[in-house]
Amino acid sequence: MSIKIAPSLLSADFAALADEVAKIEDLADLLHFDVMDGHFVPNLTVGPVVVQALRKRTRLPLDVHLMIEAPERSIEAFAQAGSDALTVHVEACPHLHRVIQQIKEAGVRAGVALNPATPLSALDWILEEVDLILVMSVNPGLGGQRFLPFVLRKIEALSRRLEGLPQKPEIAVDGGITVENCREVTEAGATVLVAGSAIFGSPDPRAAIERMRQAVGDVNPENTSRN
Ligand code: DX5
Ligand code: ZN
């Protein structure tokens, strides 16, 4: 199966976002966009106006990770801004099923994210409704943290849990992904690798993506000519 690489803009130069994206446009599969509200996580980042501005500057799908409380209040705005996927945190959604429906009704792919300590059973009754499951491999809120090794077992368990589903959601992993560990993450069952500091924090983001692709053995011809 081919693996998608989603560079996370959190580690890019926010004063030159369009230039940063242009550097990797033809090598990436998605752009991962971290939205933080200063409540669900301590940090604050950006909102729909920045998604809208970037939408005009890239053809890459915009994969928006909402680390915010009460995401239902912002779904419309992020969808209208041009998001291709909206991922909400299970921990921030007492009415998760309703929020997932809201995202789908907005015409956008629906994702759910799980913090490292959140059990997979939180997804039991929603698995067939979502397009994407984002497994956090660090506690969300900051780039550049170390991958939590126990999350490998969680990815394996999730991958087994999805076996036999007619429409399997993608398994994305976010936090501490590097050229060194990406292979074991995909072997465990991840199909989307989100990486911030390993790509935009590297002196050569293009080489970092290429090394990551080599490391996971992604030689699918689909991936040789992007965009
Ligand atoms: C963390 C964010 C990540 C972040 C990952 O809360 O959700 O997307 O950019 O950064 P790295 O790859 O540096 O751990
Ligand atoms: Zn993220």
Side-chain angles (χ1 to χ4, degrees), residues 150-208:
F150 69 85
V151 174
L152 280 177
R153 279 180 285 133
K154 192 175 184 183
I155 302 165
E156 283 164 4
L158 175 59
S159 179
R160 279 196 301 273
R161 178 74 180 78
L162 299 184
E163 275 169 22
L165 280 189
Q167 287 285 194
K168 274 193 204 175
E170 288 185 296
I171 302 179
V173 180
D174 186 6
I177 300 291
T178 62
V179 173
E180 291 69 34
N181 66 17
C182 61
R183 173 92 189 206
E184 40 185 2
V185 173
T186 57
E187 282 177 351
T191 52
V192 182
L193 295 169
V194 177
S197 48
I199 295 177
F200 286 115
S202 134
D204 187 347
R206 294 182 65 82

Side-chain angles (χ1 to χ4, degrees), residues 8 10 32 34 36 65 67 136 140-144 174-176 194-197:
S8 169
L10 190 63
H32 183 87
D34 287 305
M36 305 185 188
H65 176 192
M67 284 164 275
M136 293 305 301
L142 285 176
D174 186 6
V194 177
S197 48

Side-chain angles (χ1 to χ4, degrees), residues 22-37:
K23 281 184 199 164
I24 50 88
E25 170 101 29
D26 58 328
L27 294 181
D29 298 287
L30 305 165
L31 264 189
H32 183 87
F33 201 97
D34 287 305
V35 178
M36 305 185 188
D37 66 352

Side-chain angles (χ1 to χ4, degrees), residues 33-107:
F33 201 97
D34 287 305
V35 178
M36 305 185 188
D37 66 352
H39 294 276
F40 182 69
V41 289
N43 215 346
L44 265 171
T45 55
V46 292
V49 289
V50 182
V51 174
Q52 192 176 16
L54 265 184
R55 179 66 294 165
K56 298 181 193 134
R57 306 293 288 270
T58 178
R59 285 177 296 151
L60 287 170
L62 298 177
D63 168 39
V64 178
H65 176 192
L66 297 174
M67 284 164 275
I68 64 178
E69 284 176 2
E72 63 278 3
R73 296 185 201 148
S74 307
I75 300 301
E76 288 313 318
F78 278 103
Q80 280 171 18
S83 308
D84 295 278
L86 287 172
T87 296
V88 294
H89 268 263
V90 167
E91 304 83 3
C93 296
H95 306 292
L96 182 61
H97 182 269
R98 183 186 292 158
V99 181
I100 296 298
Q101 304 313 315
Q102 194 189 351
I103 296 174
K104 295 206 282 195
E105 278 160 21

